Amino acid sequence: MGYACPVCDTPQRDGEHLAHHLAFTAMLHGGDHEAWLDERVDDWSDREPAELAAEVTPHADDAEYDEVFEDTVPRGRPDVGMGSGGDAAPSDHAHDHGHADPASGAGVPDPDAVDDPAVAEALREAREMTRNAAADDADEESDSADPDPDPDA
């Protein structure tokens, strides 16, 4: 059982999560969440989460909060179409615990599917930097694996 946000009804795990939700949404988006906090808690932006929770939970309705634990769904988080890792390829080391190849772009939207050209370009640059870093790491590993570092060989 948790709390429903008194502004948007989004369920939150507990009072501190509700306080975080209200404060972050107010700071990032303003609007109704900020107005709601301003009306009820004068110094909400200066409060610690536990203090803010004590002020906001009396105004929130109880809500059902269904938790999903990683061990209750296949391969961690479910794949929601953004490369979240639900069916990511494992890394190439000896044990499998769901790591995706960082160069694969898991968790990052396709630059061609992004509406903002600046965001698309930033994604392309980030992918290129990741590829270069992975290639550099592979080169370093192969150099360190060479048993005879003699340059005359």
Side-chain angles (χ1 to χ4, degrees):
M1 190 61 77
Y3 293 100
C5 173
V7 178
C8 66
D9 289 326
T10 302
Q12 301 297 320
R13 165 188 258 172
D14 55 34
E16 286 196 28
H17 282 85
L18 175 62
H20 279 287
H21 165 77
L22 284 162
F24 278 108
T25 305
M27 288 186 290
L28 294 173
H29 303 289
D32 294 339
H33 286 77
E34 184 175 25
W36 189 91
L37 281 169
D38 286 342
E39 289 173 13
R40 288 162 184 83
V41 186
D42 292 333
D43 58 346
W44 64 266
S45 63
D46 297 326
R47 301 264 185 128
E48 292 295 319
E51 294 174 299
L52 185 55
E55 296 291 329
V56 300
T57 54
H59 302 283
D61 292 331
D62 289 340
E64 191 68 33
Y65 182 84
D66 296 320
E67 291 196 52
V68 177
F69 296 96
E70 287 189 11
D71 64 345
T72 64
V73 294
R75 311 271 300 142
R77 298 183 332 207
D79 187 1
V80 293
M82 293 292 288
S84 65
D87 59 2
S91 62
D92 63 351
H93 56 272
H95 59 280
D96 176 15
H97 47 85
H99 287 305
D101 174 7
S104 73
V108 180
D110 181 3
D112 296 328
V114 176
D115 293 334
D116 186 334
V119 172
E121 182 58 28
L123 289 170
R124 286 186 194 93
E125 288 177 22
R127 283 190 174 170
E128 183 61 28
M129 291 171 67
T130 302
R131 282 188 206 103
N132 291 340
D136 290 347
D137 288 346
D139 289 345
E140 287 176 18
E141 286 179 17
S142 67
D143 289 346
S144 66
D146 186 4
D148 185 15
D150 182 15
D152 296 330

